[in-house]
């Protein structure tokens, strides 16, 4: 008898997973162009003010004092918690290794105008690199899913050509590092799903890095793990449960260690602190829009052309509060009204900043619940 033809191994990758040599060359060329374009365009005279100043000081203390602290002055300083540690850690590594950043000093960081664009330009270039690499990673994620070349190229081009997603690259912000980490997390999860084994703890570590860069992903990872573990138990899938356990341990070790550090330093299990009250405040302030402002919001927040249309068809009293640079506008009021409240609690009642921030956050939550209809309606234009 003629033996049956040999079957390919189940784990062998499909040909579609691997781009051709010509396609790889084109992919690398476009990735390089995207990195250079987004890294070299966009300019701000004050890249290290407001939120960026906090990241800059966090990175400075990591590099020069060996501690993570939100204090905005030269060391020595006490350890503290503030922003998520992911981006400051990367920024500290950039400061330590990239030539041309010697003009960044504690003295210029302490100035109201910061150190300026020229001092930070080599570090800001990396925001463009993160964007370019995110498109490359997403391309390979789509290929690993066997969704075809067209889907892979569209996914990559959506990142590379997305000016809206590239906004803010001229500032020291964590958004574009988070974009790359989210792309890497997607790739790691798909790879783990396809191949299993040690790739599950690798995926857990990548998602942990994403969480330590944007704490909001904690509230995605925990429910997902609970649902996956519960489903594997109900369906009696021990191999799935083992994969969930591997992922969970790898995820919990770095995230849990940082939260334990926060508790040791400030008495609260948290990835970051100081932003909850501000976030709630920025959201609550829109509950007080007038009917005309509410109508203008639908127009003003339309991408690309909305602000111009709002200026044309609405009175200034309706659209002006939506301008980010308006010191009496919704954004500025929401962002900056909580700090004086926290300061007053610290000075008047002798509380730590973390405890004071939690009180203000509870007050903002109560204010939101006091106007539930306005809150629900204000979510629609946003």
């Amino acid at each position: 008898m003629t033996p049956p033809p040999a079957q390919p191994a189940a784990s062998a990758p499909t040909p579609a997973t691997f781009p051709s040599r010509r396609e790889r060359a084109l992919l690398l060329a476009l990735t390089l162009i995207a990195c250079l374009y987004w890294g070299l365009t966009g300019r701000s005279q004050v890249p290290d003010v407001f939120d960026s100043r906090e990241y800059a000081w966090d990175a400075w203390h990591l590099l020069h004092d060996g501690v993570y602290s939100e204090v905005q002055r030269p060391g020595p300083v006490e350890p503290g918690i503030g922003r998520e540690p992911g981006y400051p850690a990367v920024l500290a590594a950039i400061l330590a290794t990239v030539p041309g950043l010697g003009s960044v000093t504690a003295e210029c960081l302490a100035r109201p105008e910061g150190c300026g664009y020229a001092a930070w330009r080599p570090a800001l270039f990396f925001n463009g690199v993160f964007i370019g690499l995110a498109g490359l990673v997403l391309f390979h994620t789509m290929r690993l899913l066997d969704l075809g070349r067209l889907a892979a190229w569209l996914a990559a081009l959506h990142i590379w050509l997305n000016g809206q997603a590239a906004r803010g690259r001229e500032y020291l912000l964590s958004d574009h590092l988070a974009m790359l980490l989210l792309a890497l997390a997607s790739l790691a999860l798909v790879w783990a799903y396809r191949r299993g084994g040690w790739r599950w703890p690798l995926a857990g570590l990548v998602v942990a890095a994403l969480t330590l860069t944007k704490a909001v992903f904690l509230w995605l990872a925990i429910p997902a793990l609970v649902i996956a573990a519960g489903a594997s138990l109900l369906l009696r899938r021990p191999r799935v449960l083992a994969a969930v356990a591997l992922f969970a341990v790898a995820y919990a070790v770095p995230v849990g260690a940082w939260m334990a550090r926060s508790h040791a330093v400030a008495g609260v299990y948290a990835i970051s602190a100081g932003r909850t009250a501000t976030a709630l405040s920025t959201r609550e302030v829109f509950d007080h829009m007038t009917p005309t402002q509410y109508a203008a919001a639908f127009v003003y927040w339309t991408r690309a052309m909305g602000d111009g249309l709002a200026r044309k068809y609405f009175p200034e009293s309706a659209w002006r509060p939506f301008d980010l640079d308006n010191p009496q506008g919704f954004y500025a009021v929401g962002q900056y009204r909580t700090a004086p409240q926290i300061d007053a609690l610290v000075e008047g009642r002798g509380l730590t900043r973390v405890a004071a921030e939690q009180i203000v956050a509870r007050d903002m939550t109560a204010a939101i619940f006091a106007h539930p209809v306005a809150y629900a309606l204000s979510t629609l234009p946003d």
Side-chain angles (χ1 to χ4, degrees), residues 27-84:
L27 181 64
L28 292 175
L30 291 178
T31 301
L32 179 60
I33 291 171
C35 290
L36 291 174
Y37 177 78
W38 294 119
L40 297 176
T41 60
R43 183 185 181 96
S44 172
Q45 297 300 325
V46 285
D48 52 353
V49 296
F50 304 124
D51 293 359
S52 300
R53 184 185 298 275
E54 297 178 13
Y55 287 120
W57 274 113
D58 290 342
W60 179 269
H61 290 310
L62 272 176
L63 179 61
H64 293 279
D65 302 312
V67 299
Y68 191 83
S69 175
E70 78 282 12
V71 176
Q72 295 187 17
R73 60 173 174 78
V77 295
E78 293 296 321
I81 57 175
R83 294 280 181 171
E84 299 95 333

Side-chain angles (χ1 to χ4, degrees), residues 298-316:
F298 286 92
V299 178
Y300 191 93
W301 284 327
T302 300
R303 291 287 173 88
M305 59 182 178
D307 53 348
L309 290 175
R311 287 178 171 87
K312 183 176 181 180
Y313 293 110
F314 289 90
E316 184 174 357

Side-chain angles (χ1 to χ4, degrees), residues 16-241:
T17 302
F18 300 99
S20 65
R21 180 177 298 178
R22 180 178 299 178
E23 192 174 26
R24 288 199 300 271
L26 178 60
L27 181 64
L28 292 175
L30 291 178
T31 301
L32 179 60
I33 291 171
C35 290
L36 291 174
Y37 177 78
W38 294 119
L40 297 176
T41 60
R43 183 185 181 96
S44 172
Q45 297 300 325
V46 285
D48 52 353
V49 296
F50 304 124
D51 293 359
S52 300
R53 184 185 298 275
E54 297 178 13
Y55 287 120
W57 274 113
D58 290 342
W60 179 269
H61 290 310
L62 272 176
L63 179 61
H64 293 279
D65 302 312
V67 299
Y68 191 83
S69 175
E70 78 282 12
V71 176
Q72 295 187 17
R73 60 173 174 78
V77 295
E78 293 296 321
I81 57 175
R83 294 280 181 171
E84 299 95 333
Y87 181 66
V90 171
L91 186 56
I94 293 172
L95 284 169
T97 58
V98 176
L101 285 165
S103 56
V104 174
T105 64
E107 289 72 25
C108 70
L109 278 177
R111 296 199 304 256
E113 68 276 15
C115 295
Y117 177 79
W120 285 108
R121 183 172 182 175
L124 294 170
F125 176 77
F126 278 84
N127 285 341
V129 173
F130 298 148
I131 296 171
L133 292 179
L136 175 66
V137 172
L138 195 57
F139 176 93
H140 286 292
T141 302
M142 301 300 282
R143 294 302 298 268
L144 195 59
L145 285 169
D146 288 335
L147 295 178
R149 286 185 172 87
L150 178 60
W153 279 109
L154 288 176
L157 290 171
H158 178 70
I159 299 296
W160 292 334
L161 302 178
N162 194 332
Q164 188 68 26
R167 289 181 61 184
R169 67 191 183 281
E170 65 271 26
Y171 297 97
L172 299 169
L173 296 173
S174 63
D175 297 5
H176 305 100
L177 174 62
M179 180 191 298
L180 174 58
L181 288 172
L182 182 58
L184 287 169
S186 301
L187 177 62
L189 286 167
V190 172
W191 194 25
Y193 177 77
R194 285 293 182 91
R195 299 297 185 84
W198 57 267
R199 297 163 187 86
W200 283 113
L202 175 64
L205 290 173
V206 177
V207 178
L210 175 61
T211 302
L212 292 173
T213 303
K214 290 290 187 182
V216 67
F217 285 96
L218 177 71
W219 308 110
L220 176 64
I222 291 178
L225 284 170
V226 171
I227 292 171
S232 61
L233 286 172
L234 289 173
L235 297 175
R236 298 181 180 179
R237 300 287 180 86
R239 294 183 65 181
V240 175
L241 184 60

